[in-house]
Amino acid sequence: MAAAQFECARGDVNANVRLIAALAVEAREAGSAVMVCPELALTGYEPGLIGADRALWTEAEDVRLDPLRTTGIAIVVNGAAAGPGGRPQIVSTVYAPDGTVAAVYAKEHLYENEQEVFEPGNGGGRFWSDGVGYSLGTCFDNHFPEVPARNAARGCQVHLASSLYGTGGGREERSALHPAIAKATGMYVVLANHVGVAGPWTGCGGSAAWAPDGAVVVEADESGPRLLVADLEVEMRD
């Protein structure tokens, strides 16, 4: 598994896609099967910009995302896409190694400032790749135990958290929440977090992987961008 930790280019989908694609190739060459990105990695965490400019919304088949389809690794990339009510949703799109769309998941639990711009999703958030089940949760989703619990009940073994935790209180939240999810569900938990400027906040980094007993497998600091690679002992299933 790999988690991409970086500072997004504000409102520049093409620049962020180029960076994510390059990191995905690096992750594949390091032996990773899946790479997860932070929340709103395609645009930066910019709710105001996203609400005002529909050009920042990206559907799964958007040609701007084509470079993510040719990296030979499964990628979980988060951005904004049109919701059924006409407003955007915060959406994780999963591209399989062959470039097909493996899953699309809209964030269910919107944080305070997000409710003014986005529509919530209504469930789902899991996919399978090479015999491993992956659960999806976007930032505030992970504060609701039922989100990872329902995916663990369906056989998922790894929970992927695309998030934004900032300096200050975010440091304590990220270090308390994710090992608790692991222990409660028996899944590995892999967090991809922002580092550097992220809208109104400063991402605190600390992308990490936790074992099912809550122990840290590997953890980044907040000194800057990096690709975090975690070797997880996950049993493949039919």
Side-chain angles (χ1 to χ4, degrees):
M1 275 295 313
Q5 174 175 297
F6 57 93
E7 183 174 345
C8 299
R10 183 176 184 264
D12 192 334
V13 173
N14 291 321
N16 290 317
V17 166
R18 288 193 296 270
L19 175 58
I20 294 165
L23 289 170
V25 171
E26 183 181 344
R28 186 201 70 216
E29 292 175 347
S32 297
V34 178
M35 186 182 82
V36 60
C37 297
E39 183 176 25
L40 291 175
L42 291 173
T43 59
Y45 188 87
E46 300 290 345
L49 278 182
I50 293 165
D53 187 358
R54 195 181 178 98
L56 296 180
W57 305 9
T58 51
E59 306 303 322
E61 304 296 338
D62 194 307
V63 296
R64 291 174 291 177
L65 306 188
D66 283 352
L68 305 180
R69 299 172 174 272
T70 59
T71 59
I73 184 176
I75 302 176
V76 181
V77 62
N78 193 267
R87 292 196 294 164
Q89 294 180 310
I90 298 174
V91 172
S92 284
T93 302
V94 183
Y95 293 107
D98 65 359
T100 59
V101 177
V104 176
Y105 169 69
K107 183 177 182 179
E108 299 168 64
H109 300 282
L110 300 176
Y111 195 61
E112 298 166 356
N113 63 308
E114 296 167 356
Q115 297 174 21
E116 301 173 5
V117 176
F118 299 102
E119 296 178 19
N122 59 3
R126 68 195 72 90
F127 69 99
W128 277 259
S129 181
D130 292 330
V132 177
Y134 295 91
S135 164
L136 301 175
T138 306
C139 204
F140 200 41
D141 279 338
N142 297 299
H143 293 248
F144 294 81
E146 64 270 19
V147 173
R150 70 169 179 238
N151 293 326
R154 288 168 171 79
C156 291
Q157 300 138 284
V158 182
H159 181 68
L160 306 177
S162 298
S163 299
L164 166 56
Y165 289 97
T167 54
R171 294 185 176 105
E172 289 70 33
E173 284 186 13
R174 64 153 292 284
S175 60
L177 178 66
H178 298 89
I181 293 172
K183 288 188 282 188
T185 63
M187 293 190 289
Y188 284 93
V189 175
V190 180
L191 165 69
N193 193 28
H194 288 258
V195 68
V197 177
W201 290 290
T202 299
C204 69
S207 297
W210 291 266
D213 63 359
V216 174
V217 176
V218 62
E219 186 172 34
D221 60 22
E222 57 184 85
S223 62
R226 67 167 295 179
L227 181 70
L228 186 79
V229 177
D231 187 8
L232 309 183
E233 297 180 4
V234 181
E235 179 182 355
M236 294 183 180
R237 301 171 180 171
D238 294 332

